[in-house]
Amino acid sequence: MAKNLVIVESPAKSKTIKKYLGNDFEILASYGHVRDLEPKESSVDVEDHFKMKYQLIERNKRHIDAIKKAAKSADEIYLATDPDREGEAISWHIYELLNSAKLIKDKPVHRIAFNEITKSAVNAAVANPRELAMDLVNAQQARRALDFLVGFKLSPLLWKKVRRGLSAGRVQSPALRMIVERELEIEAFESKEYWSITAELKKRKKFMAKLSIFNNQKCEQFSFTNENDATNALDIIKKDANGELIVHSIEKKQKRRNPLPPFITSTLQQDAVRKLGFTTKKTMMLAQQLYEGIEIGSEGAVGLITYMRTDSTNLSQDALNELRDFIVKEYGQDHLPTSARIYKTKNQNAQEAHEAIRPTSAYRKPEDVRAFLSNDQFKLYDLIWKRTVACQMIHALMDTVAIDFITENKAHTFKATGSVVAKPGFLAVYQEAKDEDAASDDSEGLILPEFKEGEKVPVVDIIGKQHFTEPPPRYTEASLVKALEEYGIGRPSTYATIISTLQQRDYALLEKKRFKPTDVGRIVNSFLTDYFYRYVEYTFTAKLEDELDNIADGKIEWVPVLEKFWQPFIKQITEIDATVKKSDVTHEEMDEDCPECEHKLSIRLGRSGRFIGCTNYPACTYTRAIAKDGEEPQEKVEPEVVADRKCPACESDLLIKQGRYGKFIGCSNYPKCKHMEPLEKPKDTGIECPKCKKNNFVEKKSRKGKVFYACAGFPKCKNSFWYPPIAEECPKCHSPILLHKTTKKDGEQKVCPNDECDYVVNLAPTEQE
């Protein structure tokens, strides 16, 4: 029987570690957090030094029971949760549970942590255990208490002043503010016209040169602001050029481009969004799998990357030695710098004992493990491997050339630039992706012909092009993570959660992979910035994060940090609750009169979002929708009467109405008659419903736009399926229909709809196969 008990967070990790430690060790998983605050206001006692009352998380009870049972007979206990604050807190909670159950007594309890799950790292951790780091635990407790207090006090206030069911968060509220403020910038943006002038020149091949000086004056973005200005300039230049330009100066340079540092959590998330199209949440899920261990053929379970929640760009000496050795063998000595590259970590509180995200072995090349990884796992591992190898390679050399062409009278100058890779260096392995809205370098990859000073070059054409300034772009997941990091809001482990929480709460949605605030998100942000500005202010949030880091480093105590936050916060809550009315928050008065009663109109929040309504409601019921981007304001329109049809229930007129989910047909006698039907007839599958045997299955869409198949006799017959029915009898249970099921995991299949029947026939291979 095993004498040593090792407790980790996840079962995937336990499988990998078991392989390294052998039969003297029993490895059990806690399955994440084991305790949390009781869901009541008194769980953080603000009167008693913020004493916190925890309870066992119900879903993890059986895992804790198994740990307790194993702890009884174990000689020594090793707490091996993740090497960060959350992991330290989980170890402490497990220790507290075992201690309160009197299962520790004189038994040695060790805390071990490893940055990578490899044999050497695991064995080194077991050989060099340490005590629980209470500074890290207290930093996590302080964060949890802050988030709990904000949620328990601010969320009910949102219910009263805006709408029930809303919630506010200490960190995601400043993130929401970023998204809303960017949207307001876009709406307030006034586009300006400007013109650019370029010369199309030819020497063996055509190339372009931009006008940089006109009439001896340097050209700026708004030198030509209308077609008339541009046309006049073109006429002057064409006349002065007379079909040719003269090479005035040639400047050739060789520029160095150094590799980027290895990934930290935020840069990995950004690059995975830009290059792979992954969400931050998906990136972290895949990275967790690669860290905890993947079955690699005869090797068994292997941890492929180091710990993925880090803000340190540090690499261990062993890793540097291996990388340098690998680069020489794989790419040659000329691709290796004279000494290892050391990158400075931006975050002053990053722990240098932690490492950047890197492969556990450079020699485990992506193509060598591809067969054992899912497609997405491979893409992420390939990205991490390439960035890590590239960060220790020689710089790239770029040959750049800039040529000035002038008219004979020297009044006008055009500039052409070209840039080509002379020596790829690290670019042979990895090139960083840019945000879609980042300025592009038109010269990259452009080879200009060879010229001599004084040479005359034929002009094919001189072209004026109209442009308009663009508003700032909405945030992508990558640019939002970058902004959060720059402002110091949140920490590596929280970015993915911040983003998913904003979407789950319906405060922001992704449109074409960019964040747009919802109407509810706008109102919540307006309420918070108007009445709780201090708590959504970027520097305040960043300073609080720094204080949590200082608690973790043992520089300050955690209770005073909570006290300093709590007193002004609860005072503000009390004042706003007493003085602010709901209408102050949800109504925004407009400088426009109601066309029906001449009272003022206001923008208001309804069940379906914001709309414009009369302030004289309920005496006046005038409303209209808020115009969408680029649309004229919509006046209230009368519903259109359906010609040649009457309501089948009461013989009244049928009307085409606008509802929350689009247009539909409803009875004009509503609410006495509640008959309604879709505007477009659902597509008939031609397959009879076996339940009622009266109607066919029709294709419908759920409120979220997902297609499903339901009996046309709904609501009397509620028979429905997510997959299309097939008019074919099940050979096993004789169900009159089968379903055509398609999933990524199983591919295309014919399946029986009967829950008690397991009939399945594969029609096409899965994505992996």
Side-chain angles (χ1 to χ4, degrees):
M1 185 177 281
K3 293 179 181 179
N4 303 297
L5 173 63
V6 179
I7 303 164
V8 295
E9 283 174 61
S10 78
K13 192 197 287 187
S14 63
K15 195 175 181 183
T16 314
I17 293 169
K18 177 70 177 170
K19 186 182 80 169
Y20 301 136
L21 293 180
N23 294 329
D24 285 344
F25 290 82
E26 183 177 3
I27 323 291
L28 291 178
S30 71
Y31 287 76
H33 280 273
V34 294
R35 292 198 305 179
D36 199 3
L37 292 168
E38 294 176 3
K40 54 188 180 185
E41 198 171 344
S42 60
S43 289
V44 179
D45 192 343
V46 295
E47 303 298 328
D48 187 13
H49 305 290
F50 298 89
K51 190 175 179 181
M52 298 165 78
K53 295 170 189 170
Y54 292 104
Q55 66 177 23
L56 185 65
I57 297 171
E58 187 57 37
R59 69 173 185 272
N60 281 359
K61 185 179 182 302
R62 64 190 181 94
H63 305 304
I64 288 300
D65 287 343
I67 288 169
K68 284 179 177 178
K69 187 179 177 182
K72 282 180 186 176
S73 56
D75 292 338
E76 295 188 50
I77 298 169
Y78 292 85
L79 302 170
T81 49
D82 285 347
D84 58 11
R85 280 181 217 167
E86 295 293 317
E88 204 72 23
I90 292 170
S91 279
W92 176 73
H93 282 297
I94 293 168
Y95 178 88
E96 289 290 296
L97 286 169
L98 295 178
N99 197 33
S100 62
K102 296 184 170 52
L103 293 170
I104 291 176
K105 296 175 184 174
D106 298 327
K107 212 170 277 187
V109 179
H110 309 291
R111 170 72 170 119
I112 59 171
F114 22 79
N115 191 50
E116 57 182 293
I117 305 176
T118 57
K119 188 171 184 177
S120 58
V122 170
N123 285 324
V126 171
N128 300 283
R130 59 171 173 82
E131 298 291 314
L132 272 166
M134 287 310 297
D135 291 331
L136 289 177
V137 174
N138 290 336
Q140 195 276 338
Q141 286 200 99
R143 179 186 289 279
R144 184 70 191 94
L146 284 167
D147 292 343
F148 182 87
L149 291 169
V150 170
F152 243 98
K153 288 296 178 183
L154 202 45
S155 297
L157 195 61
L158 277 172
W159 291 22
K160 287 169 74 174
K161 308 301 179 185
V162 183
R163 180 196 284 175
R164 283 193 69 80
L166 297 178
S167 57
R170 183 183 61 84
V171 180
Q172 59 263 20
S173 295
L176 173 63
R177 181 187 157 201
M178 279 184 187
I179 293 169
V180 173
E181 285 185 347
R182 178 60 58 89
E183 195 68 20
L184 294 173
E185 278 183 71
I186 293 167
E187 289 171 358
F189 182 81
E190 291 183 11
S191 188
K192 290 184 181 179
E193 181 184 5
Y194 67 98
W195 287 69
S196 65
I197 294 175
T198 54
E200 187 179 356
L201 306 174
K202 186 173 182 181
K203 183 180 180 181
R204 293 190 298 278
K205 65 174 186 177
K206 292 178 183 178
F207 62 96
M208 308 301 287
K210 292 179 184 176
L211 182 67
S212 58
I213 293 172
F214 173 68
N215 275 345
N216 299 308
Q217 298 288 317
K218 188 180 178 184
C219 289
E220 307 288 350
Q221 184 179 10
F222 296 106
S223 292
F224 312 107
T225 55
N226 55 59
E227 188 175 7
N228 191 48
D229 288 352
T231 304
N232 289 339
L234 282 170
D235 290 343
I236 293 167
I237 294 166
K238 284 179 179 178
K239 184 182 175 187
D240 291 348
N242 195 25
E244 62 186 21
L245 292 174
I246 302 161
V247 177
H248 176 63
S249 65
I250 302 167
E251 186 181 11
K252 290 184 177 180
K253 284 182 183 175
Q254 199 167 65
K255 288 183 181 176
R256 277 187 174 199
R257 190 192 291 182
N258 288 320
L260 290 160
F263 281 132
I264 58 174
T265 305
S266 59
T267 52
L268 174 64
Q269 290 173 347
Q270 289 168 54
D271 230 32
V273 169
R274 295 172 187 141
K275 279 190 168 181
L276 307 178
F278 291 173
T279 62
T280 51
K281 189 176 179 180
K282 180 177 180 176
T283 302
M284 295 310 288
M285 179 194 74
L286 292 166
Q288 182 100 26
Q289 292 164 3
L290 295 172
Y291 164 69
E292 290 181 344
I294 303 287
E295 290 285 338
I296 306 292
S298 59
E299 280 191 78
V302 174
L304 292 180
I305 64 167
T306 52
Y307 192 56
M308 63 285 158
R309 291 187 180 91
T310 177
D311 46 13
S312 170
T313 53
N314 191 41
L315 291 172
S316 70
Q317 192 58 52
D318 286 347
L320 289 171
N321 292 342
E322 189 196 61
L323 281 164
R324 288 175 64 79
D325 184 60
F326 174 81
I327 289 163
V328 171
K329 287 177 181 171
E330 192 74 12
Y331 301 100
Q333 188 72 42
D334 60 332
H335 279 73
L336 189 74
T338 52
S339 59
R341 294 184 182 274
I342 307 298
Y343 295 92
K344 196 172 182 182
T345 296
K346 285 184 183 177
N347 182 2
Q348 59 182 0
N349 291 305
Q351 296 178 37
E352 292 303 320
H354 288 180
E355 280 194 78
I357 304 166
R358 62 166 175 83
T360 51
S361 173
Y363 283 97
R364 201 173 279 116
K365 293 189 282 187
E367 56 268 29
D368 294 342
V369 295
R370 183 168 199 159
F372 309 106
L373 303 176
S374 71
N375 202 29
D376 288 341
Q377 285 172 340
F378 169 76
K379 285 178 182 176
L380 193 66
Y381 180 68
D382 185 60
L383 193 69
I384 294 166
W385 185 92
K386 284 178 175 174
R387 172 92 162 213
T388 309
V389 172
C391 86
Q392 291 303 315
M393 291 177 73
I394 196 85
H395 56 263
L397 285 175
M398 313 293 291
D399 279 342
T400 64
V401 61
I403 305 172
D404 283 347
F405 301 89
I406 58 172
T407 51
E408 195 168 354
N409 64 357
K410 300 181 182 177
H412 322 295
T413 303
F414 288 83
K415 185 181 282 290
T417 56
S419 172
V420 292
V421 177
K423 196 174 177 184
F426 75 92
L427 291 176
V429 176
Y430 172 88
Q431 189 153 0
E432 187 194 23
K434 289 181 180 176
D435 280 323
E436 289 170 33
D437 41 83
S440 60
D441 184 0
D442 295 336
S443 71
E444 196 157 308
L446 179 65
I447 303 173
L448 293 174
E450 286 291 327
F451 290 103
K452 292 177 184 175
E453 286 186 16
E455 185 178 342
K456 293 181 177 179
V457 185
V459 175
V460 178
D461 198 4
I462 296 174
I463 305 152
K465 191 174 180 183
Q466 186 185 38
H467 307 273
F468 292 93
T469 54
E470 296 280 339
R474 289 179 179 138
Y475 287 108
T476 61
E477 283 204 36
S479 57
L480 184 59
V481 166
K482 190 175 181 181
L484 289 169
E485 186 182 31
E486 284 171 353
Y487 279 110
I489 296 168
R491 283 297 177 259
S493 58
T494 63
Y495 296 138
T497 308
I498 292 167
I499 287 168
S500 61
T501 303
L502 289 174
Q503 292 171 272
Q504 286 163 9
R505 289 180 178 170
D506 199 30
Y507 290 168
L509 47 89
L510 275 175
E511 274 189 6
K512 297 177 182 174
K513 296 189 175 181
R514 292 184 179 270
F515 284 106
K516 183 179 182 181
T518 61
D519 289 340
V520 176
R522 282 171 176 264
I523 297 290
V524 169
N525 178 69
S526 178
F527 173 71
L528 294 174
T529 50
D530 286 348
Y531 302 109
F532 292 90
Y533 182 75
R534 183 184 183 210
Y535 302 100
V536 291
E537 213 271 316
Y538 304 139
T539 54
F540 175 82
T541 310
K543 191 180 175 189
L544 202 51
E545 289 290 350
D546 288 340
E547 288 183 327
L548 291 171
D549 288 342
N550 287 332
I551 294 167
D553 292 340
K555 294 175 183 175
I556 57 174
E557 293 294 320
W558 66 291
V559 172
V561 170
L562 293 178
E563 282 171 346
K564 191 171 72 172
F565 173 88
W566 174 250
Q567 294 305 330
F569 177 71
I570 194 60
K571 184 184 176 187
Q572 186 86 339
I573 290 278
T574 308
E575 284 178 6
I576 299 305
D577 194 11
T579 58
V580 176
K581 300 193 296 290
K582 185 172 183 176
S583 59
D584 295 338
V585 181
T586 57
H587 294 196
E588 183 185 329
E589 195 163 301
M590 300 168 65
D591 190 21
E592 184 182 341
D593 294 332
C594 172
E596 292 183 6
C597 74
E598 297 188 351
H599 280 76
K600 287 292 179 190
L601 294 176
S602 69
I603 297 173
R604 303 159 79 174
L605 181 67
R607 281 192 311 165
S608 305
R610 296 190 310 158
F611 67 97
I612 293 169
C614 183
T615 53
N616 192 27
Y617 178 85
C620 175
T621 58
Y622 175 83
T623 62
R624 74 166 187 255
I626 293 174
K628 293 179 182 175
D629 297 346
E631 291 182 5
E632 291 297 313
Q634 297 176 16
E635 293 295 331
K636 186 176 180 181
V637 290
E638 291 300 317
E640 183 185 338
V641 177
V642 178
D644 305 323
R645 280 194 65 198
K646 294 291 181 183
C647 173
C650 71
E651 292 294 315
S652 299
D653 285 340
L654 290 173
L655 304 175
I656 297 174
K657 297 183 174 183
Q658 178 70 43
R660 186 176 182 181
Y661 299 104
K663 290 183 177 179
F664 67 97
I665 293 173
C667 183
S668 59
N669 196 23
Y670 179 85
K672 288 182 181 176
C673 175
K674 294 183 179 177
H675 173 79
M676 64 176 73
E677 57 191 71
L679 189 61
E680 292 180 17
K681 269 197 163 183
K683 183 181 172 184
D684 193 329
T685 64
I687 297 170
E688 187 182 78
C689 170
K691 198 170 183 180
C692 67
K693 297 182 180 177
K694 291 180 182 177
N695 304 287
N696 286 350
F697 283 108
V698 292
E699 188 180 289
K700 291 189 171 188
K701 278 189 178 179
S702 70
R703 286 181 175 182
K704 291 187 176 179
K706 191 175 177 183
V707 174
F708 69 100
Y709 301 84
C711 176
F714 182 86
K716 288 182 181 177
C717 177
K718 295 181 179 177
N719 198 15
S720 64
F721 304 103
W722 286 114
Y723 300 105
I726 306 168
E728 197 175 311
E729 185 181 276
C730 173
K732 199 166 183 181
C733 73
H734 305 291
S735 162
I737 63 164
L738 294 173
L739 301 179
H740 185 177
K741 184 178 177 183
T742 308
T743 62
K744 278 188 177 180
K745 184 184 174 188
D746 301 317
E748 282 188 70
Q749 297 176 318
K750 276 198 290 192
V751 301
C752 181
N754 186 350
D755 290 338
E756 293 166 10
C757 178
D758 59 359
Y759 177 74
V760 178
V761 174
N762 289 323
L763 299 175
T766 67
E767 196 176 90
Q768 276 186 309
E769 289 169 335

